[in-house]
Amino acid sequence: DAGVTQSPTHLIKTRGQQVTLRCSPKSGHDTVSWYQQALGQGPQFIFQYYEEEERQRGNFPDRFSGHQFPNYSSELNVNALLLGDSALYLCASIYGTSTDTQYFGPGTRLTVL
Amino acid sequence: GENVEQHPSTLSVQEGDSAVIKCTYSDSASNYFPWYKQELGKRPQLIIDIRSNVGEKKDQRIAVTLNKTAKHFSLHITETQPEDSAVYFCAASSTGRRALTFGSGTRLQVQP
């Protein structure tokens, strides 16, 4: 049973560029949440997707957008990258609508130069 | 929105001793409280969780307690081992929203 997977593992971009990160949830899980974890801090909630729609959103600007596909996989897009966007981006998958347990992927380390 | 505070930020114990990490939350609607362990360069791993209808939960050397009235919950690790060394995060969320709000983390170091 495959766990949550993310790609790529590492990414280096320059300011102003755009980036797309990908997440495949745990088998059977239909909800995906994205989190940003700056160095030395706890993860911060970006948004959550269920049934291909954004259901919840944290305090992040519109430069952060996402998408969920019919197979439940998800993408996180960040436009007009800033130095402060450098972080570990984690996705977490959840099974159904009545459970709370979230399983995290290994993350994508984004460095903005 | 929810705010979760976590203490201490660092904790050093001798192997075999107990470790306690404490968190407080602000939103009375929060009813789910997981704890994650994150080793350097790895993903957060769920180690134990508790829901608001339960006051205490144990899993071998790990236990979590919840005081809804005071809005605080704690992680207890007994008989610590060097492999327990990691950063531990508490978190809170509410049914329906399921957006975890994390504490700032506790770096636990277990000295052999």
Side-chain angles (χ1 to χ4, degrees), chain A residues 63-85:
Chain A
R63 298 187 297 110
F64 290 77
S65 63
H67 188 77
Q68 186 178 35
F69 299 94
N71 67 352
Y72 308 131
S73 66
S74 177
E75 288 182 348
L76 164 65
N77 300 294
V78 187
N79 294 323
L81 284 167
L82 304 174
L83 296 179
D85 295 332

Side-chain angles (χ1 to χ4, degrees), chain B residues 81-100:
Chain B
Q81 300 167 3
E83 51 265 38
D84 293 330
S85 297
V87 178
Y88 291 80
F89 291 98
C90 63
S93 71
S94 58
T95 300
R97 177 160 169 77
R98 302 193 299 170
L100 292 171

Side-chain angles (χ1 to χ4, degrees), chain B:
Chain B
E2 175 66 278
N3 182 50
V4 176
E5 294 192 358
Q6 182 172 348
H7 300 281
S9 57
T10 60
L11 181 59
S12 182
V13 300
Q14 291 295 124
E15 183 176 357
D17 286 351
S18 295
V20 180
I21 302 170
K22 298 182 179 182
C23 289
T24 60
Y25 63 99
S26 61
D27 189 352
S28 56
S30 290
N31 57 2
Y32 174 66
F33 308 93
W35 286 87
Y36 286 86
K37 173 184 179 182
Q38 188 174 31
E39 297 176 68
L40 191 62
K42 298 197 174 178
R43 73 185 76 193
Q45 282 193 301
L46 178 69
I47 56 172
I48 196 167
D49 57 12
I50 192 168
R51 288 168 175 78
S52 59
N53 59 345
V54 175
E56 184 176 1
K57 183 177 178 181
K58 288 184 180 179
D59 183 4
Q60 300 183 337
R61 298 186 296 109
I62 295 173
V64 58
T65 58
L66 171 65
N67 183 326
K68 285 191 299 182
T69 303
K71 292 183 186 167
H72 66 71
F73 56 112
S74 301
L75 177 71
H76 304 252
I77 306 175
T78 58
E79 300 173 20
T80 54
Q81 300 167 3
E83 51 265 38
D84 293 330
S85 297
V87 178
Y88 291 80
F89 291 98
C90 63
S93 71
S94 58
T95 300
R97 177 160 169 77
R98 302 193 299 170
L100 292 171
T101 300
F102 283 82
S104 53
T106 296
R107 182 171 300 278
L108 173 65
Q109 190 164 10
V110 180
Q111 307 283 356

Side-chain angles (χ1 to χ4, degrees), chain A residues 6-8 11 18-23 32-36 46-47 49 54 57 60-61 63-69 73-79 85 88-91 108 110:
Chain A
Q6 291 186 245
S7 63
L11 206 50
Q18 179 264 345
V19 68
T20 297
L21 311 181
R22 295 175 177 83
C23 171
V32 173
S33 293
W34 286 92
Y35 293 82
Q36 179 195 67
I46 303 174
F47 43 52
Y49 276 84
E54 183 182 294
R57 189 176 184 92
F60 278 80
R63 298 187 297 110
F64 290 77
S65 63
H67 188 77
Q68 186 178 35
F69 299 94
S73 66
S74 177
E75 288 182 348
L76 164 65
N77 300 294
V78 187
N79 294 323
D85 295 332
L88 180 67
Y89 288 85
L90 296 160
C91 80
T108 293
L110 173 64

